[in-house]
Amino acid sequence: MSAVNDTRFNSSVFLLTGIPGKEDIYLWISIPFSLMYVISIVGNSVILFIIKTDPTLHEPMYIFLSMLAVTDLGISITTIPTILGIYLFNSREISLNACFAQLFFIHFLAKIESSVLLLMAFDRFIAICNPLRYASILTLPIIAKMALVFVLRGVAVALPFPFLLKRLRYCRENVLSHSYCLHQDVMKLACSDIKVNTIYGMFTTVFTLGLDSLLIFFSYVMILRTVMSIASHAECLRALNTCVSHLCAVLLFYIPDIGLAVIHRFGNSSSHLFKILLGYIYLLVPPLINPIVYSVKSKHLRARIIRVFVK
């Protein structure tokens, strides 16, 4: 009977979940999601276009910002189609292979975003704490090597997820908690032992997000120590102002991510709606807000964008 059930399920699908109990207003819910999708794609594309076409923006800070924009574009393209499929067409089915592919890209891009935020913290640390060596430390070859290392780390960490899930037997209800696939969500549907998946999931979280967030924290401790030693109050505020955009991006990414990880491991059924909403915030809000915040806070970038649209 178990073999029959396994065969039947393996030729079947997972069912994605929208917002339970709100099926009658799914069309209205799709409107803000569609707007978020369009704004995310347009906003990050504009950032990339401006940085690529303006030689004066070919500096480390803007190179890191373009990396962040590429990552945010990838996250939007990976997640929004299944979300809109539910709310526009009530299309909840996703094949196992498509689900595994989606969760690989989601986890891979999440690790990359964490790495980019760490690089941006390093950029601010060097610019404020050691400005005289800024140009000699953050050269284009060094930036390229750091980016390559973090991309390889992201692939190495995220690639085992689909294979760890493929080895499991699925004989329980095949309804997922979100409108997209996550490793910690899919593994709960298995009826075989998921101890390896749980341990590896915790290891990757600590090794990537935990380590990156800790290094970002230490970099800002050093930045604050340096800034507090500045005699001029105006210069102190000017130095801190250059970090505001990055701090917003860090908080937008890490707070929902940590909250979602905690809920998936320790949450109960009463937090199901909160889990869904936090999942949307985790994947949809950073790609939407990051280009807006950086466009507003970066005077040079804002000026270039205004110049392009005025023309």
Side-chain angles (χ1 to χ4, degrees), residues 103-258:
L103 69 86
F104 163 75
F105 282 108
I106 288 176
H107 288 287
F108 165 69
L109 291 168
K111 311 309 181 194
I112 295 298
E113 178 133 359
S114 177
S115 302
V116 174
L117 291 174
L118 175 59
L119 290 175
M120 296 175 87
F122 180 66
D123 169 80
R124 291 299 84 205
F125 168 75
I126 298 298
I128 294 174
C129 299
N130 202 350
L132 297 180
R133 296 188 60 197
Y134 181 82
S136 61
I137 293 176
L138 289 176
T139 61
L140 288 180
I142 294 296
I143 293 173
K145 289 176 183 178
M146 290 191 297
L148 179 61
V149 167
F150 283 124
V151 168
L152 293 176
R153 184 187 72 161
V155 172
V157 166
L159 190 59
F161 283 136
F163 297 101
L164 289 174
L165 292 171
K166 275 181 175 291
R167 70 184 181 84
L168 300 177
R169 293 184 299 110
Y170 299 95
C171 50
R172 297 177 182 173
E173 186 180 8
N174 60 339
V175 180
L176 297 170
S177 303
H178 299 284
S179 306
Y180 45 83
C181 296
L182 293 175
H183 170 257
Q184 59 266 38
D185 196 19
V186 174
M187 72 178 186
K188 292 180 179 179
L189 301 180
C191 56
S192 49
D193 186 16
I194 61 171
K195 183 181 295 184
V196 174
N197 295 68
T198 302
I199 294 174
Y200 184 73
M202 293 181 64
F203 164 75
T204 58
T205 300
V206 172
F207 178 65
T208 55
L209 304 180
L211 179 61
D212 293 350
S213 59
L214 187 64
L215 292 174
I216 290 172
F217 173 77
F218 282 133
S219 69
Y220 271 100
V221 170
M222 299 300 295
I223 287 172
L224 284 175
R225 287 182 58 184
T226 303
V227 168
M228 292 304 177
S229 65
I230 298 176
S232 171
H233 182 68
E235 290 181 5
C236 177
L237 291 178
R238 190 180 303 114
L240 289 176
N241 190 52
T242 63
C243 301
V244 171
S245 301
H246 179 252
L247 280 173
C248 291
V250 168
L251 294 176
L252 281 173
F253 177 77
Y254 282 105
I255 291 178
D257 180 49
I258 294 172

